[in-house]
Amino acid sequence: MNRFQWDSSFSVDFNLQNGFSEKAETTKRYLSQMKEMFYDTNAAEKILEQEDPLIYEFHELGCPMREGDLAFGTTILYPGKVGEEYFMTKGHFHTILDTAEVYYTLDGEGCMIMENPEGETMEMPLKKGEALYVPRRYAHRSVNTGDTPLVMFFTFAANAGHDYGTIETKGYRKILVEKECGPVVIDNPKWS
Amino acid sequence: MNRFQWDSSFSVDFNLQNGFSEKAETTKRYLSQMKEMFYDTNAAEKILEQEDPLIYEFHELGCPMREGDLAFGTTILYPGKVGEEYFMTKGHFHTILDTAEVYYTLDGEGCMIMENPEGETMEMPLKKGEALYVPRRYAHRSVNTGDTPLVMFFTFAANAGHDYGTIETKGYRKILVEKECGPVVIDNPKWS
Ligand SMILES: [Mn+2]
Ligand SMILES: [Mn+2]
């Protein structure tokens, strides 16, 4: 259990290569918790007959949802695919839609896919040593297109809130799949 | 001049070792701009007779001061002393006092010295691979106690605002000086 004093100062170690902390635990997301999110449901089922792979883990430090506080931590997104679709995070809108997020990639490579409620979509590369700005109003999901863990340090307003439901119900408009030429953004066949 | 589109997504490279960016310029603070802040004014004058050393530099990416946006960048604080006082940043309160800041130290070692308007003070170590939380209501100044640049990636609410004047006028209650046993926090003789 992560317990910190947000009215005082505290520090949390985050390994600059692998993102892990000795002080803070991660929350884990396994394939079984998000199998409906991958477009190739059969491929997901087939994997789950054998094992339930860890897709990603991230830090929830327990920041109170107060205006003026900042939530932060790292996300470690593992390499892998479900069918031809890369491992990815669930993705979410912020409940307070007009709140941004900063991601600083510590290791690995991937892509941030974003869309706003009006249906405008954006995809941006995630590269080691680059900070990516996710603007206000955009749902965001990271995707690992490499062979090693994608490790990102994130910060967002503690009162932003997470709306996962919209993405779980409707899906993303765009998904990222591996083709012979490499990673390709395509329309999500499952989007509704 | 740093120009980014805060309503869209963009990325900025920040070297994970030295903090520098090829895309973004830094703002520089030289000793001549902050000589009154060091308690040993004679030592400062003596240095300035010979040279005007760069104390620190940091990124101002031009984020609009809008609610929900996040300003971010790195600070590179050089090693050195003025008399027995270590090189440090100017330090400031946020104009919106109830806004926090997250610092993630990429390299070097030092100390964050903090105080709130009620006069409560805190000092916390800054270490490579550790994120430090500066809570709401606390003025914050970083100090380099090592022999190499102290490099930090920071994020704060874009509308927080900076109040440098209070610190410039009154000074900090506590300062960090080098004694034979190492870095020591002492009462600021110049505090008023
Ligand atoms: Mn988010
Ligand atoms: Mn600040």
Side-chain angles (χ1 to χ4, degrees):
Chain A
M1 188 57 192
N2 297 321
R3 290 194 184 282
F4 299 100
Q5 297 299 328
W6 299 82
D7 284 315
S8 188
S9 185
F10 61 90
S11 52
V12 185
D13 61 300
F14 294 109
N15 184 291
L16 279 155
Q17 279 79 49
N18 64 32
F20 283 103
S21 172
E22 301 196 356
K23 262 194 194 171
E25 292 172 13
T26 57
T27 301
K28 295 175 175 63
R29 294 279 180 258
Y30 293 91
L31 179 56
S32 58
Q33 298 169 280
M34 51 187 296
K35 62 177 173 168
E36 299 298 334
M37 294 188 144
F38 290 95
Y39 91 90
D40 189 342
T41 314
N42 289 340
E45 299 284 7
K46 220 169 218 169
I47 293 170
L48 286 169
E49 284 169 19
Q50 306 291 325
E51 50 160 357
D52 187 5
L54 178 60
I55 308 288
Y56 66 103
E57 46 192 309
F58 62 103
H59 293 95
E60 295 182 295
L61 300 184
C63 188
M65 290 184 67
R66 287 189 309 199
E67 201 172 338
D69 276 308
L70 293 167
F72 63 97
T74 66
T75 298
I76 298 130
L77 172 55
Y78 292 98
K81 285 182 295 177
V82 174
E84 58 180 10
E85 190 174 10
Y86 295 102
F87 280 10
M88 61 192 186
T89 61
K90 284 187 166 191
H92 56 260
F93 283 98
H94 290 164
T95 311
I96 300 181
L97 197 58
D98 274 319
T99 52
E101 186 155 347
V102 175
Y103 285 84
Y104 185 32
T105 300
L106 306 180
D107 207 4
E109 57 179 309
C111 187
M112 186 71 78
I113 55 181
M114 292 164 275
E115 65 175 60
N116 68 10
E118 290 73 38
E120 290 162 303
T121 62
M122 300 192 287
E123 302 87 31
M124 289 286 286
L126 292 165
K127 284 185 195 165
K128 179 176 178 167
E130 282 192 2
L132 181 88
Y133 198 66
V134 175
R136 312 184 307 169
R137 311 194 76 258
Y138 276 81
H140 37 286
R141 159 182 286 169
S142 38
V143 180
N144 187 341
T145 59
D147 300 320
T148 59
L150 174 61
V151 182
M152 298 160 284
F153 180 78
F154 60 78
T155 309
F156 60 91
N159 64 337
H162 290 92
D163 165 15
Y164 286 98
T166 304
I167 299 299
E168 274 178 10
T169 312
K170 296 174 67 78
Y172 260 74
R173 284 172 168 81
K174 299 286 182 184
I175 63 172
L176 206 60
V177 296
E178 181 168 62
K179 298 288 186 192
E180 274 180 42
C181 57
V184 177
V185 176
I186 62 167
D187 287 335
N188 183 0
K190 261 179 142 177
W191 184 76
S192 56
Chain B
M1 188 55 195
N2 297 320
R3 290 195 183 281
F4 299 99
Q5 298 297 329
W6 299 83
D7 284 315
S8 187
S9 185
F10 62 90
S11 52
V12 185
D13 61 300
F14 294 108
N15 184 290
L16 279 155
Q17 278 79 48
N18 64 33
F20 283 101
S21 172
E22 301 195 356
K23 261 195 194 172
E25 292 173 12
T26 58
T27 302
K28 296 175 175 64
R29 294 280 180 257
Y30 294 90
L31 178 57
S32 58
Q33 296 169 282
M34 51 186 299
K35 62 177 173 166
E36 299 298 333
M37 294 189 143
F38 290 95
Y39 90 92
D40 189 342
T41 314
N42 289 339
E45 299 285 7
K46 221 168 217 169
I47 293 170
L48 287 168
E49 283 169 20
Q50 306 291 325
E51 49 158 359
D52 187 5
L54 178 60
I55 308 289
Y56 67 103
E57 46 192 308
F58 63 104
H59 293 96
E60 295 182 295
L61 300 185
C63 188
M65 290 184 66
R66 287 190 308 199
E67 203 173 335
D69 275 310
L70 294 167
F72 63 97
T74 67
T75 299
I76 298 130
L77 172 55
Y78 292 99
K81 283 183 296 174
V82 174
E84 58 179 12
E85 191 174 10
Y86 296 102
F87 280 10
M88 61 191 186
T89 61
K90 284 187 166 190
H92 56 260
F93 283 98
H94 290 163
T95 311
I96 301 180
L97 197 58
D98 275 320
T99 51
E101 185 155 348
V102 175
Y103 285 84
Y104 186 32
T105 300
L106 305 180
D107 207 4
E109 57 179 308
C111 188
M112 186 72 78
I113 55 181
M114 292 165 274
E115 64 176 59
N116 68 10
E118 290 73 38
E120 290 162 304
T121 62
M122 299 192 289
E123 303 86 29
M124 289 285 287
L126 291 165
K127 284 184 194 166
K128 179 175 179 169
E130 282 192 3
L132 181 87
Y133 197 66
V134 174
R136 313 184 307 169
R137 310 194 76 257
Y138 276 81
H140 37 287
R141 159 183 286 170
S142 39
V143 179
N144 187 341
T145 58
D147 300 321
T148 59
L150 175 61
V151 182
M152 298 159 284
F153 180 78
F154 60 78
T155 309
F156 60 91
N159 64 337
H162 290 91
D163 166 15
Y164 286 98
T166 304
I167 299 299
E168 275 178 8
T169 312
K170 296 173 68 76
Y172 260 74
R173 283 174 168 81
K174 301 285 182 183
I175 63 171
L176 206 61
V177 296
E178 180 167 63
K179 298 289 185 191
E180 275 179 40
C181 58
V184 177
V185 177
I186 61 168
D187 288 334
N188 183 358
K190 261 177 141 178
W191 185 76
S192 56

